[in-house]
Amino acid sequence: MSFDNVRGRSTPGRPRTPQVSGTRSIVAQLGPRPDGSIPFSVEFNPPRDAAAEARLWRAAREFERMHPAFVSMTYGAGGSTRDRTARVTGQLATETTLLTVAHLTAVGHSVAELRSIVGSYVDAGIRNLLVLRGDPPGDPLGQWNKHPGGVEYAEELVRIVRDLGDFHVGVASFPQGHHRSPDLDHDTAYLCAKLRAGAEYSITQMFFDVDHYLRLRDRVIACDPVQGAKPIIPELMPITSLRTVQRAEELSGRTLPPALLARLERAAGNDPEANRDAVREVGIEIATEIGQRLIAEGAPCLHFITLNFAKATTEVLTNLGYTMAPSAVEAQLRSVARE
């Protein structure tokens, strides 16, 4: 596709002002809802086959009835699911009422390929991108190697996207610091650099201790008050099994707070597989407690990792007071019943 019709290109030496005509930004979606609650959003993963894709669509339709601020679609490391990911992401944007954010990662791609991926999203009407450096394929904690024709840091990728035209860009933030950062001060400086490059908000890595999120907010404000005013959206994941916890620790390089792990282990008893319902119940309780505190602390939105399932997240949202609108069929039946 051509970027010639995208408005608002950069002028050397002058700051850019986003001018995305007819495109809702993520930041514009934030703020109190009519019922006084804060927005929520959900994250999907690329489906690897037809069955997984059907499951994703069932979840998307369930969430659509709860009116999330936005949904995001992750991007497989190295582009292993590139074609299916781009297609499904585009369909979410064009065939539902969901405001869709596409992930864009630098792993395994040249700049030319990255531009092409952005072009495919533009063709689907997507102007909201979450820009990430990404994890190495196979081992998320392994050695990160730059593509020979690619970029080294997410900050560079933010600038590339902004130079392609007017996009709404988000980036990742890390409440406990990225595992590759030498310390929290460096990690905060990297985040501020991404925000200065043109990112409008950040979404955190998953965490289970709200204090880490609050300290991240304080660090960014101290580093750069202007960038610190940009929304930091916390990411949550309802725990449904001990295996889920182990996988989360593997991917993030972080461990669950001992007190929370002890609650889950007590529920699991001697046989986590036999006591999955008990573990899941405690996991829902923990996610609800985290959500309640984040709301009280003024978080701008709650972003849920769903793993393409709706049930656990909707249970947490229900506990927090969110409601599900009736489907079109249900609404019609209710209307007939009233008549």
Side-chain angles (χ1 to χ4, degrees):
M1 66 83 60
S2 171
F3 292 94
D4 293 343
N5 61 347
V6 183
R7 299 164 50 196
R9 292 184 179 279
S10 300
T11 300
R14 296 180 60 187
R16 302 176 74 259
T17 301
Q19 300 176 16
V20 186
S21 178
T23 302
R24 293 176 291 165
S25 72
I26 299 309
V27 173
Q29 298 295 104
L30 307 182
R33 292 161 37 133
D35 61 2
S37 64
I38 69 169
F40 78 94
S41 54
V42 297
E43 178 177 294
F44 298 127
N45 298 112
R48 295 188 175 275
D49 53 38
E53 185 172 335
R55 185 173 69 243
L56 184 153
W57 278 104
R58 288 194 296 270
R61 293 304 183 185
E62 284 293 298
F63 286 122
E64 191 173 22
R65 296 166 59 191
M66 299 189 77
H67 306 295
F70 65 93
V71 301
S72 69
M73 174 69 81
T74 65
Y75 190 79
S80 56
T81 57
R82 171 176 170 174
D83 292 341
R84 187 185 294 268
T85 301
R87 176 177 57 78
V88 174
T89 305
Q91 288 175 321
L92 284 170
T94 58
E95 299 178 14
T96 74
T97 61
L98 300 168
L99 178 60
T100 304
V101 178
H103 286 213
L104 181 69
T105 64
V107 175
H109 291 304
S110 67
V111 169
E113 289 171 334
L114 291 166
R115 288 171 58 95
S116 175
I117 294 167
V118 174
S120 69
Y121 290 139
V122 171
D123 288 341
I126 296 173
R127 295 293 190 281
N128 284 286
L129 300 176
L130 190 71
V131 171
L132 313 159
R133 187 166 83 160
D135 296 321
D139 180 6
L141 304 182
Q143 179 66 37
W144 197 95
N145 297 309
K146 171 187 172 183
H147 186 284
V151 298
E152 183 73 30
Y153 298 108
E155 176 190 353
E156 300 171 74
L157 189 49
V158 172
R159 295 186 187 281
I160 288 172
V161 171
R162 296 308 303 267
D163 284 343
L164 289 175
D166 285 310
F167 294 90
H168 296 298
V169 178
V171 292
S173 52
F174 302 89
Q176 294 174 266
H178 192 279
H179 65 275
R180 300 183 197 280
S181 295
D183 53 51
L184 290 176
D185 288 340
H186 280 83
D187 189 80
T188 305
Y190 296 148
L191 173 57
C192 287
K194 292 187 289 187
L195 294 169
R196 291 190 200 102
E200 301 170 0
Y201 65 95
S202 71
I203 299 178
T204 73
Q205 183 184 55
M206 174 183 60
F207 60 88
F208 293 96
D209 185 338
V210 176
D211 285 343
H212 291 310
Y213 170 77
L214 300 178
R215 291 170 188 150
L216 169 64
R217 289 198 315 195
D218 291 343
R219 289 197 304 272
V220 179
I221 292 172
C223 175
D224 187 326
V226 173
Q227 305 309 320
K230 294 180 177 179
I232 300 177
I233 300 172
E235 184 176 72
L236 298 76
M237 184 180 73
I239 296 170
T240 56
S241 71
L242 287 181
R243 183 178 301 173
T244 300
V245 174
Q246 294 164 351
R247 180 59 176 163
E249 292 177 339
E250 175 187 337
L251 292 173
S252 68
R254 305 298 181 190
T255 58
L256 199 69
L260 296 189
L261 182 58
R263 287 172 63 181
L264 292 164
E265 289 177 338
R266 283 196 298 271
N270 296 324
D271 190 345
E273 290 304 314
N275 296 315
R276 287 177 62 90
D277 289 346
V279 172
R280 184 183 184 283
E281 182 178 351
V282 172
I284 298 296
E285 290 175 359
I286 290 171
T288 300
E289 292 164 7
I290 291 173
Q292 288 170 332
R293 188 173 174 206
L294 286 167
I295 291 170
E297 294 287 357
C301 181
L302 301 179
H303 187 67
F304 288 88
I305 297 175
T306 69
L307 304 179
N308 297 353
F309 292 96
K311 187 172 175 56
T313 298
T314 55
E315 285 182 29
V316 174
L317 288 169
T318 299
N319 292 343
L320 294 172
Y322 295 80
T323 58
M324 180 177 293
S327 68
V329 172
E330 291 169 336
Q332 184 175 12
L333 290 174
R334 292 181 185 181
S335 177
V336 171
R338 285 195 296 269
E339 295 174 359

